[in-house]
Amino acid sequence: MKKLSLIIPVYNVEKYVARCIQSCINQNISSVDYEIIIINDGSTDSSLQIVNALVKDRDNITFISQKNEGLSSARNKGLSLAKGEYIWFIDSDDWIEINCLEDIFNKLDKIEVLAMGYIEAYDDFQKNKKVFASNIPVTNGIELLHSTFIIPAQFYIYRRSFLEKNNLFFEPGVFHEDFEFTPRMLYFANKLMRYNKQIYFFYKRPGSITTSVNPKKSFDLIKIALNLISFEKKFVEKTDKFIFHNMVWLALNNALYNSLILDNKTRNELRIEFFNNRWIFKYLKSSTVLKYRIERILFLIFPKHTTKIYQLLRSTFK
């Protein structure tokens, strides 16, 4: 069995994908010990041709194409093909440190999850910023949830059997899928280690999923909030429920924040979606964040005016 599978979804990243793949190839370990799985998710630019040229004659790279189904589907497909003992999801506009895998391999022993920091990377490298996983000693995912944890899935390396055993896959067809995946993953992680070297370059590019405007994001965040509540009801102990309630409120606030740039018609549709799920406000009692507790009271009193209340609170507490 290979030690590690690097899974790289690719969608319209012709400017960046070569850098990403080259960083994964330029490693100080044998190609026998790890594999690279690249999923072309229906790219319409020259990404397909660029990847084909890079992976030619490399026996540890699997490259397949599928119709465009989104990042979640591409990651899930890569996971279904993986043969490595551990899994690392790498976004195709990001890259990893050259010759970092040997040291990573030394950490992957008897753990389920390796939690990492990263480098926030810009075109102007002088703006680059190191972000640490956590300064608090932790040995499992629940301890990390009680601390400060990083949401994006690419900042963790996972034992494949751990993901499969706990049915930890990505929700298909939604934006911000890591918001739903990572809290669930951490709650199940009994053996976790922090890795404080920054070897993942998280590229902040204009037009990425996290920076682009799309009305669907707000509705997806409500769906994610509902999924987190469903998980919390089924699995989470009473002492940990506030963590998931805070995450739900954060998802709802992100949905409301996106409403600020929506047209009036779409904003009204979002308001109706909130009203149709207004039971959430009554259910979420244990948030530790004052802002969320204030919102809860106001949303319960005025459930038809969530977007307006959010706008008012935002202008009041700037």
Side-chain angles (χ1 to χ4, degrees), residues 96-214:
I96 62 174
E97 187 75 61
I98 292 174
N99 294 334
C100 68
L101 290 188
E102 182 178 35
D103 191 51
I104 288 288
F105 273 31
N106 293 330
K107 308 298 181 184
L108 299 179
D109 184 30
K110 299 179 182 179
I111 62 169
E112 293 171 327
V113 178
L114 185 69
M116 299 177 291
Y118 60 94
I119 298 169
E120 195 172 278
Y122 295 86
D123 290 325
D124 180 357
F125 70 90
Q126 293 182 341
K127 295 181 180 179
N128 287 3
K129 180 172 65 176
K130 290 186 176 182
V131 179
F132 291 85
S134 173
N135 290 323
I136 299 175
V138 293
T139 59
N140 60 58
I142 291 179
E143 290 177 354
L144 190 55
L145 282 169
H146 278 270
S147 174
T148 301
F149 67 97
I150 299 172
I151 291 176
Q154 61 267 37
F155 305 139
Y156 301 87
I157 297 177
Y158 317 87
R159 187 184 289 271
R160 179 161 59 91
S161 60
F162 160 74
L163 295 178
E164 294 169 346
K165 173 186 174 183
N166 293 290
N167 197 33
L168 289 167
F169 302 99
F170 295 90
E171 177 75 20
V174 299
F175 289 106
H176 304 295
E177 57 283 306
D178 296 354
F179 215 104
E180 191 256 3
F181 172 85
T182 299
R184 292 189 296 119
M185 177 276 296
L186 289 176
Y187 196 76
F188 285 136
N190 293 319
K191 298 177 181 178
L192 178 143
M193 178 186 294
R194 285 190 298 109
Y195 184 71
N196 275 329
K197 289 184 180 179
Q198 281 72 38
I199 46 85
Y200 188 103
F201 290 83
F202 182 42
Y203 181 48
K204 306 296 287 184
R205 68 179 173 99
S208 68
I209 287 176
T210 54
T211 59
S212 59
V213 174
N214 190 324

Side-chain angles (χ1 to χ4, degrees), residues 80-95:
S80 74
L81 298 171
K83 299 179 178 65
E85 184 182 359
Y86 286 87
I87 303 292
W88 192 1
F89 299 104
I90 298 175
D91 284 358
S92 52
D93 51 355
D94 300 335
W95 68 98

